[in-house]
């Protein structure tokens, strides 16, 4: 009887321990990678080149130019939406607001929402939208710009679907994905921004990524 | 130990049964047939609300910040029944004031929504969010729909609620 008790105590103790231990596994680095020969101090060596977000330049809700420099040494969450979207965007914004509330005081984490309808979503429209959502550009940038450039960076760099489609309700086809981009501009996670439980995982992964940098 | 546990259970049961009673009291002024119909409308209305409305107005009806107005405890619903009902099919544009806050986000209509579906959604939002227990019947909706086309396209015709602040 006594051994039984000890056994259960051990099981409980072990499970508490294992639940407390932090998840040390690093987040994966997503996208195509290439092996390139680099000249390193006159010596040619092979190096892995990861998929990264290229340079960009858009305008945010305050009329300020936003580039890769704005996100230098920051982790950021990116998504694509438009303000008049009747389908998934409102849920995405509801969920992104949770991310905003959690990290608004943390200068290392930013949010970048691209409009895929830049013709309608001008700086004024985005400003009004952000203001009504009650968020500030210190943390959350809503950007507009050249339509082709937005679609190009969406499809080719963030690897999400974003294009005009007259068949779709609202006129645009786009995915509800949220992406985590790290300080080296690499994609570290893709999440369904319309599902609260997936956004829970996203926030846990941001915490993990922040820890990765703490250790360095 | 066991005694205390069963006592807690009993108290819990008593409490939950009380709240159940209260809930059915809410519909007590209705006759049996209406009550059954109301329940059918509410079940279907809730499902349709989740499908068509909750994206913006949220499942709990509380809206989102100053972007999408709340339906829950909203002072707009009761005095603006006609534009609420018309808006489901034809959409709504322009400024509206709800609970003292100005909203200005276009609501797209759902052109394919049927009169019955509108009746079910309306019954659900008026009963659950505005706490006014009533069936918005198919006939009510038909009558309202006949008159709405022209003035939903013009929000300025909709009676604005005075800002109480």
């Amino acid at each position: 009887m006594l051994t039984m008790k000890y056994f259960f105590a051990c099981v409980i103790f072990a499970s508490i321990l294992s639940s407390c231990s932090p998840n040390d596994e690093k987040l994966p680095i997503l996208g195509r990678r290439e092996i390139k020969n680099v000249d390193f101090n006159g010596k040619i060596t092979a190096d892995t080149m990861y998929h990264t977000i290229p340079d960009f330049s858009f305008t945010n809700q305050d009329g300020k130019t936003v580039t890769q420099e704005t996100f230098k040494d920051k982790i950021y969450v990116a998504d694509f939406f438009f303000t008049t979207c009747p389908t998934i965007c409102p849920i995405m914004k509801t969920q992104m607001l949770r991310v905003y509330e959690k990290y608004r005081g943390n200068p290392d984490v930013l949010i970048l929402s691209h409009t895929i309808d830049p013709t309608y979503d001008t700086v004024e429209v985005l400003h009004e939208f952000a203001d009504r959502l009650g968020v500030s550009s210190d943390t959350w940038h809503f950007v507009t710009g050249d339509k082709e450039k937005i679609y190009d960076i969406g499809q080719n760099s963030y690897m999400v679907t974003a294009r005009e489609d007259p068949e779709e309700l609202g006129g645009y086809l786009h995915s509800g994905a949220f992406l985590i981009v790290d300080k080296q501009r690499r994609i570290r996670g893709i999440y369904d921004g319309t599902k609260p439980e997936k956004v829970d995982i996203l926030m846990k992964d941001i915490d993990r990524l922040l820890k990765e940098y703490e250790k360095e | 130990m066991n005694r205390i546990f069963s006592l807690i259970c009993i108290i819990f049961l008593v409490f939950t049964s009380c709240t159940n009673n209260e809930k059915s009291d809410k519909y007590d002024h209705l006759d049996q047939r209406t009550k059954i119909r109301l329940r059918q409308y509410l079940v279907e209305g809730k499902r349709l609300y989740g499908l068509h409305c909750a994206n913006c107005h949220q499942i709990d009806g509380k809206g989102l910040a100053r972007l999408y107005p709340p339906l829950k405890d909203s002072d707009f619903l009761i005095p603006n029944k006609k534009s609420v009902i018309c808006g489901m099919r034809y959409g709504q544009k322009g400024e509206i004031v709800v609970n003292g806050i100005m909203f200005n986000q276009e609501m797209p209509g759902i052109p394919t929504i049927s009169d019955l579906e509108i009746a079910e959604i309306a019954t659900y939002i008026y009963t659950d969010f505005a706490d006014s227990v009533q069936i918005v019947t198919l006939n009510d909706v038909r009558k309202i729909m006949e008159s709405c086309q022209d003035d939903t396209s013009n929000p300025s015709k909709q009676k604005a609620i005075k800002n109480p602040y």
Side-chain angles (χ1 to χ4, degrees), chain A residues 83-91 93-94 97 120 128-129 131-134, chain B residues 52 54-56 58 64-68 101-106 108-109 111:
Chain A
T83 61
T84 51
C85 156
T87 51
I88 57 173
C89 311
I91 318 175
K93 293 299 137 223
T94 310
L97 201 55
Y120 181 84
E128 165 100 10
F129 189 86
D131 182 50
R132 286 190 168 275
L133 201 56
Chain B
H52 297 301
N55 272 6
C56 297
Q58 313 290 321
L64 182 61
R66 286 184 294 127
L67 263 183
Y68 311 115
I101 296 166
M102 192 271 280
F103 292 87
N104 189 7
Q105 180 76 24
E106 181 179 348

Side-chain angles (χ1 to χ4, degrees), chain B residues 11-29:
Chain B
I11 292 171
F12 180 73
L13 281 177
V14 169
F15 265 101
T16 48
S17 63
C18 281
T19 49
N20 275 346
N21 282 342
E22 269 168 30
K23 202 168 182 187
S24 59
D25 280 346
K26 196 168 141 183
Y27 308 137
D28 259 5
H29 61 287

Side-chain angles (χ1 to χ4, degrees), chain B residues 36-126:
Chain B
I36 291 169
R37 212 158 119 226
L38 177 66
R39 291 242 158 81
Q40 288 172 337
Y41 266 57
L42 286 178
V43 167
E44 201 47 24
K46 188 175 184 171
R47 186 185 72 80
L48 292 164
Y49 176 82
L51 196 64
H52 297 301
C53 323
N55 272 6
C56 297
H57 294 292
Q58 313 290 321
I59 283 289
D60 60 10
K62 287 183 179 160
L64 182 61
R66 286 184 294 127
L67 263 183
Y68 311 115
L71 302 173
K72 174 92 186 138
D73 304 324
S74 144
D75 63 5
F76 187 85
L77 284 186
I78 306 256
N80 296 283
K81 196 166 172 181
K82 190 178 150 192
S83 54
V84 167
I85 284 173
C86 292
M88 292 186 205
R89 184 175 295 156
Y90 301 111
Q92 183 162 319
K93 247 184 179 175
E95 295 181 1
I96 59 165
V97 176
V98 180
N99 297 347
I101 296 166
M102 192 271 280
F103 292 87
N104 189 7
Q105 180 76 24
E106 181 179 348
M107 178 175 94
I110 309 161
T112 51
I113 200 167
S114 72
D115 288 351
L116 179 63
E117 287 171 322
I118 292 177
E120 287 162 342
I121 295 174
T123 302
Y124 174 67
I125 63 179
Y126 276 93

Side-chain angles (χ1 to χ4, degrees), chain A residues 124-192:
Chain A
E124 292 74 38
V125 172
L126 292 179
H127 186 87
E128 165 100 10
F129 189 86
D131 182 50
R132 286 190 168 275
L133 201 56
V135 303
S136 128
S137 62
D138 293 342
T139 301
W140 193 343
H141 295 274
F142 290 89
V143 295
T144 183
D146 184 71
K147 195 185 220 166
E148 292 311 313
K149 284 191 182 139
I150 294 172
Y151 287 10
D152 179 56
I153 205 166
Q155 305 258 28
N156 300 319
S157 303
Y158 291 102
M159 303 181 287
V160 296
T161 316
R163 61 184 159 87
E164 274 179 283
D165 188 340
E167 305 271 297
E168 282 292 310
L169 205 62
Y172 294 90
L173 179 69
H174 70 116
S175 84
F178 288 177
L179 297 101
I180 296 180
V181 180
D182 72 9
K183 296 182 180 179
Q184 284 78 38
R185 295 153 78 174
R186 300 172 304 193
I187 296 173
R188 303 298 292 273
I190 301 178
Y191 311 82
D192 185 343

Side-chain angles (χ1 to χ4, degrees), chain A residues 19-39:
Chain A
S19 68
C20 284
S21 72
N23 194 345
D24 274 339
E25 219 174 289
K26 282 192 174 180
L27 290 180
I29 296 166
L30 305 179
R32 270 166 76 100
R33 56 191 66 180
E34 284 170 45
I35 308 293
K36 267 196 182 155
N37 289 327
V38 251
D39 189 340

Side-chain angles (χ1 to χ4, degrees), chain A:
Chain A
M1 198 54 202
L2 205 63
T3 45
M4 258 321 236
K5 259 190 189 167
Y6 272 119
F7 175 72
F8 277 120
C10 279
V11 168
I12 291 166
F13 190 64
S15 60
I16 289 171
L17 268 194
S18 61
S19 68
C20 284
S21 72
N23 194 345
D24 274 339
E25 219 174 289
K26 282 192 174 180
L27 290 180
I29 296 166
L30 305 179
R32 270 166 76 100
R33 56 191 66 180
E34 284 170 45
I35 308 293
K36 267 196 182 155
N37 289 327
V38 251
D39 189 340
F40 187 73
N41 288 343
K43 223 175 146 190
I44 306 290
T45 45
D47 197 5
T48 314
M49 310 299 283
Y50 291 104
H51 173 91
T52 54
I53 306 297
D55 290 356
F56 58 86
S57 177
F58 299 120
T59 311
N60 79 358
Q61 71 265 40
D62 296 336
K64 290 192 184 126
T65 306
V66 164
T67 67
Q68 66 286 344
E69 285 300 310
T70 317
F71 297 90
K72 198 179 173 197
D73 286 325
K74 312 274 182 196
I75 292 167
Y76 68 96
V77 184
D79 76 340
F80 292 80
F81 86 114
F82 58 109
T83 61
T84 51
C85 156
T87 51
I88 57 173
C89 311
I91 318 175
M92 288 166 70
K93 293 299 137 223
T94 310
Q95 292 305 317
M96 194 66 99
L97 201 55
R98 294 177 54 213
V99 179
Y100 175 84
E101 294 295 343
K102 183 166 176 193
Y103 296 102
R104 59 193 296 191
N106 187 336
D108 279 354
V109 182
L110 298 180
I111 300 171
L112 176 59
S113 289
H114 308 74
T115 176
I116 54 167
D117 183 9
T119 321
Y120 181 84
D121 289 339
T122 55
V123 169
E124 292 74 38
V125 172
L126 292 179
H127 186 87
E128 165 100 10
F129 189 86
D131 182 50
R132 286 190 168 275
L133 201 56
V135 303
S136 128
S137 62
D138 293 342
T139 301
W140 193 343
H141 295 274
F142 290 89
V143 295
T144 183
D146 184 71
K147 195 185 220 166
E148 292 311 313
K149 284 191 182 139
I150 294 172
Y151 287 10
D152 179 56
I153 205 166
Q155 305 258 28
N156 300 319
S157 303
Y158 291 102
M159 303 181 287
V160 296
T161 316
R163 61 184 159 87
E164 274 179 283
D165 188 340
E167 305 271 297
E168 282 292 310
L169 205 62
Y172 294 90
L173 179 69
H174 70 116
S175 84
F178 288 177
L179 297 101
I180 296 180
V181 180
D182 72 9
K183 296 182 180 179
Q184 284 78 38
R185 295 153 78 174
R186 300 172 304 193
I187 296 173
R188 303 298 292 273
I190 301 178
Y191 311 82
D192 185 343
T194 64
K195 301 216 164 62
E197 66 277 12
K198 301 287 178 196
V199 176
D200 291 344
I201 299 173
L202 171 132
M203 292 195 283
K204 275 190 194 132
D205 285 354
I206 293 177
D207 290 341
R208 277 168 65 188
L209 190 55
L210 284 168
K211 281 210 182 95
E212 273 182 34
Y213 286 109
E214 267 172 31
K215 280 176 198 157
E216 278 169 12

